[in-house]
Amino acid sequence: EKKEKKEKKEKKEKKEKEKRKKDDDDDDDDHESLLRSRKTSSSNVDETDDDSAIEVDIDAAREDTSDAEKKEKRPKRLPFRKRVGAIRRARKVTSTKPAATAHNLNMRAAYVHVIGDLLHTFGVAVVGAVIWAHPRLHVIDPICTFVFAGIVVATTVPITRDIVDVLMHRAPRDVDVAKLAKDLGSLPGVAEVGMLRAWSRTPGKPVLTAHVRCVRGAKASHVLAACTSECTKAGITDTTLQVVEVSGGG
């Protein structure tokens, strides 16, 4: 019996040892397979990173080339001084307002009023000091009064004249309307100029209206452009021209 028990124990121990060994072998296989899978996954990740890096490099190269093309297509800017000079020359060419009437009428009146008050105050102070020092020279007071009155009248007359011109729709003083009508009639394609009217809505802003008859075969658009340009040269930018083509019988 004892021998049988020993044999049974030995068999059980052998079986347990075999089982443990088998389990250990399975664990080793699992570990090796896990390591293999990790290696393959890391290699795949490296490949994807390389591919993404290549794509990023390609996109960056494309952006650089597009930026270079934009810079080439973009027009070169002139230096600041040249731009300022060009703007000033353009203003000189396009400015057609007369220098004498280019100011606002209200600003002119306010400026004259302020200057007149300043001179009057200064004169009163000087005359008062002279009379206080030399009472016998009191005649200076009425003389200075008449002088200041003459200065006020002399500075007020031009403003009053401009106001009357605007109210009465007078022709601009700095525009020779007869010469302008003659110049318009001598333009190529113009047969006759009639009903020409010129006046000022405000000082420095003349207005002109006219009927223009074209020669047969002339283009009305070309005639209109030529007449408008001639009026602009004369200092009138606000023009209303009715261009009529001459009929076959006319």
Side-chain angles (χ1 to χ4, degrees):
E1 291 178 359
K2 289 181 180 181
K3 286 182 180 180
E4 289 178 359
K5 287 182 181 179
K6 284 182 181 181
E7 289 177 358
K8 287 181 180 180
K9 282 183 180 181
E10 289 176 358
K11 286 181 180 180
K12 283 182 181 180
E13 289 176 357
K14 283 182 181 181
K15 286 181 180 180
E16 289 178 357
K17 286 181 181 181
E18 290 177 357
K19 190 175 181 180
R20 286 176 184 175
K21 190 176 181 181
K22 191 176 183 180
D23 293 337
D24 293 337
D25 293 337
D26 293 338
D27 293 337
D28 292 337
D29 294 337
D30 294 337
H31 185 65
E32 289 179 359
S33 62
L34 181 61
L35 290 174
R36 289 175 184 174
S37 62
R38 285 182 179 177
K39 287 182 180 180
T40 53
S41 62
S42 62
S43 62
N44 292 330
V45 169
D46 294 335
E47 289 177 357
T48 54
D49 290 339
D50 294 336
D51 294 337
S52 61
I54 292 169
E55 290 179 356
V56 170
D57 293 337
I58 292 171
D59 293 336
R62 288 177 180 174
E63 290 179 358
D64 293 338
T65 53
S66 63
D67 293 337
E69 290 177 355
K70 288 180 181 179
K71 288 181 180 180
E72 290 178 357
K73 291 180 180 179
R74 188 182 299 169
K76 293 183 180 180
R77 296 186 65 183
L78 293 173
F80 178 75
R81 291 183 179 179
K82 290 185 178 181
R83 292 202 302 272
V84 172
I87 292 171
R88 287 178 178 175
R89 288 193 296 272
R91 286 180 178 176
K92 286 181 181 180
V93 172
T94 57
S95 178
T96 55
K97 292 183 179 180
T101 58
H103 301 288
N104 189 305
L105 191 61
N106 295 327
M107 293 298 295
R108 285 174 56 195
Y111 177 76
V112 169
H113 181 73
V114 171
I115 296 299
D117 287 346
L118 181 63
L119 293 176
H120 187 266
T121 302
F122 179 75
V124 168
V126 172
V127 171
V130 172
I131 293 175
W132 180 75
H134 302 283
R136 293 181 181 180
L137 299 178
H138 56 83
V139 183
I140 299 176
D141 187 12
I143 293 175
C144 288
T145 301
F146 283 110
V147 171
F148 293 146
I151 292 173
V152 170
V153 171
T155 54
T156 305
V157 167
I159 298 175
T160 305
R161 184 188 63 187
D162 291 341
I163 293 171
V164 173
D165 289 348
V166 172
L167 292 176
M168 300 302 293
H169 284 190
R170 186 186 185 280
R173 294 179 180 272
D174 52 356
V175 176
D176 191 349
V177 180
K179 182 177 180 301
L180 178 59
K182 186 177 179 181
D183 293 339
L184 291 174
S186 62
L187 292 174
V190 177
E192 182 183 1
V193 177
M195 299 294 291
L196 191 146
R197 301 285 185 272
W199 71 96
S200 296
R201 291 183 299 178
T202 59
K205 292 184 179 180
V207 182
L208 182 140
T209 61
H211 289 180
V212 181
R213 297 185 67 187
C214 299
V215 178
R216 186 170 58 186
K219 288 187 177 181
S221 59
H222 294 174
V223 173
L224 178 61
C227 293
T228 304
S229 176
E230 190 67 28
C231 293
T232 303
K233 291 179 182 178
I236 303 176
T237 56
D238 191 351
T239 58
T240 303
L241 303 174
Q242 182 179 0
V243 180
V244 181
E245 295 182 1
V246 177
S247 60

